[in-house]
Amino acid sequence: MITITDMELSFGGAPLFKDVNLKFTPGNCYGVIGANGAGKSTFLKLLSGELEASKGSIDISPKLRMSVLRQDHFAFDEYSIMDTVIMGNKRLYQIMKEKDALYAKEDFTEDDGNLAAALEMEFAEMDGWNAELDAAKLLNGLGVPENLHYALMADQNGAIKVKVMLAQALFGTPDILLLDEPTNHMDPKSIEWLEEFIINYPGTVIVVSHDRHFLNTVSTYTVDIDYGKINLWPGNYDFWYESSKLMQQQIKQQNKKKEERIEELKEFIRRFGAKKSLAKQATSRKKMLEKIEIEELPVSNRKYPYINFKYERELGKDVLQVDKLTYIHEGKPILDNISFRINREDKVIVLGDDEIAVSALLGILGGEIKDYTGRVTWGTTVIKGDLPKDTASYFDNDLNIVEWLSQFSKEKEGTFLRSFLGRMLFSGDDGLKKVKVLSGGEKVRCMLSRLMVMNPNVLILDQPTNHLDLESITALNEGMTDFKGAMLFSTHDHELAQSVANRVFEIKDGKLIDRMCSYDEYLEKMQ
């Protein structure tokens, strides 16, 4: 169990959060949510001991083993994948190496024999003989091919390294698991395996994630970081979302009733306060007035952008026809002679184990990639709007945000652009910030603003939730769901995929498999 008592963390005298009193118990998964900058990752660092609280205490039994998902994917480049995973249990890995060193000695002494015997006993108690088998099960579950299990970490791509680091965190059944964004860059099968793993996990799991479906699936409690406080809610993300909205509504309704009562009392005092016959009643009402307190709604860190894709021109019958499209990457056809037709009501999610192939198809359709063969024919009524995964070229200039957005807007007037940007959370002088210094999330919001002022009737979006917080993802999800035009998109966000897509393209070995179904129906067929 983890017990947090009267904890506060301050930076430069300003508290990030304070008066934190929480308990985390085994058998539960706690989903940590909050706006960007609210302190989610910082909270995990406090629990792991990487940071020390300014006040209060965090009590964890010394007998409990804690495991943390490491973010430095290059720290283990000199080790094999198998060794990297087993390092998740530091003591077990240490024993293995000490044993190997002892048995390799040419002058093996009696003392060495005694030490080896003690190490063998501890090794057996820790189920060390099954360590490689247990590590292999984790790697297989997360989709790391068996032929890579003993390969060098330095030779692996980012996606494999992410899975290996997650396997390292899960290895050896630690009592406490701290996971910061464990589903990032994970494929649906691996995420589903991880969900099942956490649901059946006997220890305490505390996880930060922007994946709403993942949080809804695994969380038994929700840890909400907002208003400078950390509060614990029973239930998953959706339960918290509905409950918190209901609480806000109740406070507003109560305040409205109090305000109406205040006006009634003030009106009575104004009308009858000077009359001797009603002086006592007026005095009584003054006392009643003094006792009524309007509950202040706390200022939340959460901000929801306004995302609404509208088009000026209706789509005609002919939207897109692709014939015999081929694209070569590093000498290999990752799109191999594919053909398909898009209709005006289609919202297509593009999937595939090879994300380069997925991005290539969306890049070709968006106009970012030109060196392909085959035909891509757009209808005469089509107005395209795209959001590529790599947006660096859009921000390699000295423009401020207002100037940048004006490039894409028919309406050039500054007041309109500032008002528009305000709804996208760029308020006040934010519009004067240079675009080249923006954060990843700010750049995505700029790109979404660009799409909205362009008024396209076809959207092409490659991983549009990258760098966004939960609030922006929720707003984007609503905007994509409400959009009446055609759409092709990729995403790792299960909730977004299921709520938006009515058609699935799967790219496999360069070929395209077309399924007229929802995302969840597609997953069921795959199982």
Side-chain angles (χ1 to χ4, degrees), residues 308-316 344-345 347 381-385 410 451-459 479-487:
N308 187 17
F309 302 110
K310 291 183 177 180
Y311 54 78
E312 295 176 351
R313 185 176 186 179
E314 286 278 351
L315 273 173
R344 58 186 173 188
E345 69 278 3
K347 291 186 176 180
T381 61
V382 168
I383 302 170
K384 288 187 298 176
K410 293 179 183 177
L451 288 179
M452 285 188 279
V453 298
M454 288 169 63
N455 299 315
N457 50 25
V458 176
L459 290 175
M480 290 173 66
T481 303
D482 293 340
F483 181 61
K484 303 305 180 186
M487 183 189 304

Side-chain angles (χ1 to χ4, degrees), residues 288-420:
M288 291 170 63
L289 188 61
E290 290 170 0
K291 290 179 180 178
I292 297 176
E293 292 184 1
I294 301 294
E295 187 174 348
E296 286 189 23
L297 285 169
V299 179
S300 173
N301 290 320
R302 287 188 172 86
K303 305 294 180 185
Y304 291 84
Y306 177 74
I307 299 176
N308 187 17
F309 302 110
K310 291 183 177 180
Y311 54 78
E312 295 176 351
R313 185 176 186 179
E314 286 278 351
L315 273 173
K317 184 179 179 181
D318 296 323
V319 177
L320 171 64
Q321 181 69 46
V322 173
D323 296 296
K324 298 181 179 180
L325 175 64
T326 297
Y327 178 67
I328 308 295
H329 177 72
E330 295 182 350
K332 177 185 175 184
I334 58 174
L335 300 174
D336 188 6
N337 199 35
I338 65 174
S339 301
F340 59 87
R341 178 185 177 86
I342 296 296
N343 304 307
R344 58 186 173 188
E345 69 278 3
D346 287 340
K347 291 186 176 180
V348 184
I349 180 169
V350 185
L351 307 171
D353 291 337
D354 185 353
E355 291 198 3
I356 295 175
V358 172
S359 291
L361 176 58
L362 295 175
I364 289 168
L365 300 182
E368 303 283 331
I369 296 176
K370 309 288 186 184
D371 55 335
Y372 61 88
T373 60
R375 284 199 313 167
V376 176
T377 308
W378 290 98
T380 56
T381 61
V382 168
I383 302 170
K384 288 187 298 176
D386 74 311
L387 196 167
K389 187 187 294 185
D390 183 4
T391 61
S393 61
Y394 284 87
F395 300 96
D396 186 18
N397 54 66
D398 286 320
L399 300 176
N400 64 40
I401 299 176
V402 173
E403 293 168 338
W404 183 89
L405 186 60
S406 70
Q407 301 173 101
F408 312 103
S409 176
K410 293 179 183 177
E411 175 61 71
K412 305 293 184 181
E413 207 273 317
T415 304
F416 166 81
L417 294 172
R418 284 176 177 275
S419 174
F420 190 94

Side-chain angles (χ1 to χ4, degrees), residues 423-442:
R423 290 183 294 173
M424 290 300 288
L425 311 185
F426 296 107
S427 58
D429 291 337
D430 287 345
L432 302 179
K433 288 171 68 173
K434 297 290 187 181
V435 294
K436 62 183 177 183
V437 301
L438 297 179
S439 68
E442 288 172 326

Side-chain angles (χ1 to χ4, degrees), residues 63 74 112 127 140 217 273 276 284 293 314 357 389 428 504:
K63 295 181 180 179
F74 301 98
D112 291 334
D127 199 23
N140 290 335
T217 303
K276 290 184 179 180
S284 173
E293 292 184 1
E314 286 278 351
K389 187 187 294 185
V504 177

Side-chain angles (χ1 to χ4, degrees), residues 2-5 7-9 11 16-24 30-34 37-53 57-58 60 66 68 177-180 205-208 222-226 229-232:
I2 303 174
T3 304
I4 301 175
T5 308
M7 186 189 75
E8 178 180 318
L9 180 67
F11 292 111
L16 183 61
F17 31 71
K18 59 182 180 179
D19 302 325
V20 180
N21 293 277
L22 300 170
K23 284 186 179 179
F24 299 106
Y30 300 84
V32 183
I33 61 172
K40 302 184 295 293
S41 296
T42 301
F43 179 60
L44 293 193
K45 289 178 181 179
L46 285 165
L47 296 179
S48 68
E50 189 176 339
L51 286 177
E52 189 174 338
S57 63
I58 301 175
I60 304 172
M66 177 184 288
V68 181
L177 263 175
L178 304 183
L179 305 176
D180 194 352
V205 181
I206 303 173
V207 57
V208 171
T222 297
V223 180
D224 178 31
I225 304 180
D226 200 6
K229 296 183 177 180
I230 304 179
N231 292 309
L232 191 63

Side-chain angles (χ1 to χ4, degrees), residues 66-304:
M66 177 184 288
S67 185
V68 181
L69 175 58
R70 300 278 296 271
Q71 302 295 330
D72 184 359
H73 301 156
F74 301 98
F76 300 89
D77 276 359
E78 62 184 287
Y79 300 97
S80 71
I81 285 178
M82 183 60 67
D83 276 0
T84 301
V85 175
I86 295 174
M87 283 180 190
N89 188 331
K90 292 181 182 178
R91 179 54 187 159
L92 177 61
Y93 185 76
Q94 182 184 5
I95 292 171
M96 291 173 66
K97 292 306 170 187
E98 286 184 19
K99 281 173 51 189
D100 291 345
L102 279 173
Y103 293 139
K105 289 179 67 174
E106 293 183 5
D107 54 340
F108 192 82
T109 66
E110 184 177 345
D111 288 342
D112 291 334
N114 292 333
L115 177 57
L119 290 172
E120 290 288 6
M121 184 176 295
E122 189 176 357
F123 185 71
E125 288 173 353
M126 299 179 76
D127 199 23
W129 295 110
N130 289 318
E132 292 192 9
L133 178 62
D134 292 341
K137 286 179 180 177
L138 292 173
L139 291 168
N140 290 335
L142 290 168
V144 178
E146 287 190 18
N147 64 316
L148 295 181
H149 288 190
Y150 292 90
L152 201 63
M153 280 287 282
D155 297 334
Q156 309 311 314
N157 60 34
I160 292 294
K161 285 185 174 182
V162 166
K163 293 180 177 183
V164 174
M165 299 311 297
L166 182 54
Q168 181 192 72
L170 304 179
F171 178 75
T173 319
D175 302 288
I176 300 167
L177 263 175
L178 304 183
L179 305 176
D180 194 352
E181 298 293 354
T183 64
N184 274 4
H185 310 294
M186 294 267 280
D187 56 272
K189 288 181 182 177
S190 300
I191 293 174
E192 187 176 350
W193 181 90
L194 179 61
E195 288 171 349
E196 195 66 26
F197 183 93
I198 291 176
I199 288 169
N200 296 306
Y201 200 74
T204 303
V205 181
I206 303 173
V207 57
V208 171
S209 179
H210 286 142
D211 188 327
R212 295 161 296 166
H213 182 272
F214 179 74
L215 289 175
N216 281 329
T217 303
V218 303
S219 299
T220 53
Y221 288 88
T222 297
V223 180
D224 178 31
I225 304 180
D226 200 6
Y227 310 117
K229 296 183 177 180
I230 304 179
N231 292 309
L232 191 63
W233 295 69
N236 62 14
Y237 175 80
D238 277 352
F239 184 84
W240 164 84
Y241 185 70
E242 295 301 327
S243 299
S244 60
K245 283 202 303 184
L246 181 61
M247 187 178 71
Q248 291 278 335
Q249 289 170 359
Q250 287 175 340
I251 292 174
K252 289 179 181 177
Q253 288 170 358
Q254 289 170 2
N255 282 348
K256 185 178 179 181
K257 289 179 180 178
K258 288 177 182 179
E259 287 167 355
E260 289 172 353
R261 181 59 176 156
I262 287 170
E263 285 304 313
E264 289 175 5
L265 294 172
K266 285 182 176 179
E267 178 61 21
F268 185 92
I269 294 166
R270 278 195 298 268
R271 291 179 61 191
F272 305 113
K275 293 187 177 181
K276 290 184 179 180
S277 59
L278 296 173
K280 285 186 178 180
Q281 292 183 41
T283 302
S284 173
R285 279 165 172 72
K286 283 181 181 179
K287 290 180 180 178
M288 291 170 63
L289 188 61
E290 290 170 0
K291 290 179 180 178
I292 297 176
E293 292 184 1
I294 301 294
E295 187 174 348
E296 286 189 23
L297 285 169
V299 179
S300 173
N301 290 320
R302 287 188 172 86
K303 305 294 180 185
Y304 291 84

